[in-house]
Amino acid sequence: GVGGKYVLPVDFQALLQTSGIADLSAAMEVSPSEGMACISVAAYEALFVLGKDRTSDVLGDSFLPGPVEVHMSNYSETQTLIRQLKGSSIGKLVTVRGTVVRMGVMRPVAKLMDFVCGKCGTVARCRFPDGKFTPPTKCSGEGCRAKTFAPVRTSARCTDWRKVRIQELT
């Protein structure tokens, strides 16, 4: 997208063969979110720093650099049956194969928001990694012990969330 977020589909097997990084699979298994972030940064560098002239030729003069979101496919290292998914899979990169039978509506989920103390005006930034909205419990301002906060709704950073029901392929 022009100045927005760019989505880059990446075939993991092709990346594995062409990257020359011997322990790429192991790195993705140990820390998939860090691995995906590294691949996103590398894609950004390739598109907007090293290949800036070529990218502007393809996208036109009005393109603006923006974050690159990698959509991984063909990651067969951890192909798992849906019925075998357990709590131990949380935080891991897994591959499931199936047919989408139902999709819920797209909903925003807050990931970050600022709150202002009702007494002293100190701003507290709260992160919601699991999307669970939890305002601060006490003020971090010097000498303030207030427990009332007002959300600064304009500071909210959200991500899209949707429930998807998948039927396993047999």
Side-chain angles (χ1 to χ4, degrees):
V2 178
K5 178 171 60 175
Y6 295 85
V7 176
L8 179 67
V10 174
D11 181 312
F12 184 75
Q13 295 304 316
L15 178 65
L16 201 57
Q17 290 174 352
T18 59
S19 70
I21 302 171
D23 59 350
L24 181 59
S25 290
M28 290 297 286
E29 190 173 323
V30 171
S31 183
S33 56
E34 189 175 316
M36 294 292 279
C38 288
I39 293 169
S40 294
V41 168
Y44 179 92
E45 287 285 316
L47 288 169
F48 302 118
V49 178
L50 301 173
K52 182 172 52 174
D53 296 335
R54 188 168 180 204
T55 304
S56 66
D57 290 345
V58 172
L59 297 177
D61 293 333
S62 62
F63 94 95
L64 294 171
V68 178
E69 183 178 294
V70 173
H71 287 192
M72 191 71 68
S73 66
N74 202 13
Y75 186 77
S76 59
E77 273 69 8
T78 58
Q79 188 154 349
T80 307
L81 296 173
I82 294 172
R83 62 180 168 265
Q84 292 176 332
L85 287 175
K86 305 284 185 238
S88 61
S89 300
I90 296 174
K92 306 269 193 226
L93 183 61
V94 296
T95 301
V96 293
R97 291 183 55 92
T99 303
V100 175
V101 292
R102 178 175 288 172
M103 289 182 11
V105 296
M106 190 73 75
R107 292 195 170 118
V109 173
K111 292 291 188 182
L112 173 90
M113 186 184 292
D114 293 338
F115 292 84
V116 177
C117 174
K119 187 175 180 184
C120 70
T122 299
V123 176
R125 176 163 283 175
C126 289
R127 295 186 186 282
F128 316 117
D130 297 329
K132 187 176 179 185
F133 183 82
T134 47
T137 53
K138 61 182 180 180
C139 183
S140 60
E142 195 172 318
C144 182
R145 294 171 37 194
K147 295 181 180 182
T148 12
F149 294 87
V152 182
R153 286 176 169 69
T154 56
S155 70
R157 296 291 171 256
C158 298
T159 187
D160 291 336
W161 183 86
R162 165 190 312 230
K163 190 182 228 179
V164 178
R165 183 169 288 174
I166 299 174
Q167 181 176 10
E168 192 167 74
L169 295 176
T170 54

